[in-house]
Amino acid sequence: MAALSLITAVWQAGHEAFGAFILPDPATVLSAVAAIILAPENHPIIGATAERAMRGLGLSLLGGGALGLACGYSAAAMRLTRPLLTVLLGVPPIAWIVLVMIWFGSTDTTVIVTVVAAVAPVLFLGAAEGTSHRDRRLDDMARAFGVGPARRAFGLGLRQALTTFLPALAVASGTAFKVAVMSELLTNAGGAGGALADARATLDASSALAWIVIVVGLLLAVEYLVIHPFRSELERWRAATNPFGVKT
């Protein structure tokens, strides 16, 4: 709340410095947000963006995350995939949008595939780095006590991989929503991106900022209602290392 209050204060200062045409004040934008949310015809628009972003993120988890966990156990696989990751991470999302538009046109598939292309390498890298840098002495100890490969992988390898995978997941969720909105705007595929395109065409800064606030709200909901509880449950052991009274 303190961070949001600071952002609002800076926003208000920018409004007073540049005027309403360049930067509408927060109260006006929040009124526009309420009007958009309360209008039933806008619910499918918001839902479309959220669904596309989450489907792309889910496919990236299944593909990039799972493959990264597997490759983290093989040094040869890491050496082979690292140059490919550099190439994939170096391709800007807008380039993927152009290619995918040629393949699929202005459809849901275009948005979802673009999200996967932008997000999957991040999740792959987070999972692979965490797995490859695991403490192998714990594996040796578990093997000495007769723990099988599956239990070692899920009980030790996976938990150690979470140290880099969960931060990557937080970055990936934000990227998924940003890329989804950008894809919708450039491909005219509807959703919040299409609404932003309409606001741009009419030079309606209040409406444009309202849609941006709504998308950020969706991202915050995913971050704090899904990812953070999931992370807290899997990393309960970290609470013991925090100073007394400190919560992360």
Side-chain angles (χ1 to χ4, degrees):
M1 291 301 297
L4 292 176
S5 298
L6 178 61
I7 292 172
T8 304
V10 174
W11 183 354
Q12 180 66 32
H15 162 72
E16 294 175 1
F18 299 106
F21 181 76
I22 300 297
L23 187 63
D25 64 283
T28 301
V29 173
L30 290 178
S31 298
V33 169
I36 291 172
I37 292 176
L38 293 175
E41 62 271 16
N42 291 323
H43 296 171
I45 298 175
I46 299 172
T49 298
E51 180 187 359
R52 291 162 175 170
M54 294 306 297
R55 286 174 64 184
L57 182 61
L59 291 173
S60 299
L61 276 170
L62 293 175
L67 189 60
L69 288 173
C71 287
Y73 280 92
S74 170
M78 287 294 294
R79 286 194 296 270
L80 287 172
T81 56
R82 194 173 294 277
L84 178 60
L85 280 176
T86 302
V87 172
L88 292 177
L89 290 171
V91 177
I94 193 169
W96 287 115
I97 294 172
V98 173
L99 286 173
V100 178
M101 277 187 67
I102 295 173
W103 299 335
F104 301 109
S106 299
T107 61
D108 284 3
T109 304
T110 298
V111 180
I112 294 170
V113 171
T114 305
V115 171
V116 172
V119 169
V122 177
L123 293 176
F124 177 93
L125 189 61
E129 288 292 329
T131 307
S132 62
H133 289 91
R134 69 192 184 278
D135 188 348
R136 288 169 173 77
R137 292 173 299 178
L138 293 176
D139 282 342
D140 295 337
M141 181 183 68
R143 189 181 297 107
F145 280 94
V147 179
R151 289 189 63 188
R152 290 202 307 272
F154 287 98
L156 293 176
L158 180 59
R159 286 186 176 273
Q160 293 180 80
L162 293 176
T163 57
T164 57
F165 180 71
L166 289 177
L169 179 59
V171 173
S173 63
T175 303
F177 278 91
K178 289 188 292 186
V179 172
V181 172
M182 183 174 63
S183 300
E184 291 171 343
L185 191 151
L186 295 176
T187 62
N188 195 27
L196 279 172
D198 294 338
R200 177 193 60 187
T202 59
L203 300 179
D204 188 351
S206 296
S207 180
L209 284 171
W211 279 104
I212 292 171
V213 169
I214 289 171
V215 173
V216 172
L218 291 173
L219 173 59
L220 290 175
V222 172
E223 178 88 15
Y224 286 95
L225 297 179
V226 179
I227 295 178
H228 273 236
F230 177 71
R231 182 173 185 173
S232 298
E233 180 64 25
L234 292 178
E235 294 189 335
R236 286 181 293 176
W237 58 272
R238 286 184 179 272
T241 65
N242 292 334
F244 179 76
V246 175
K247 294 182 179 180
T248 58

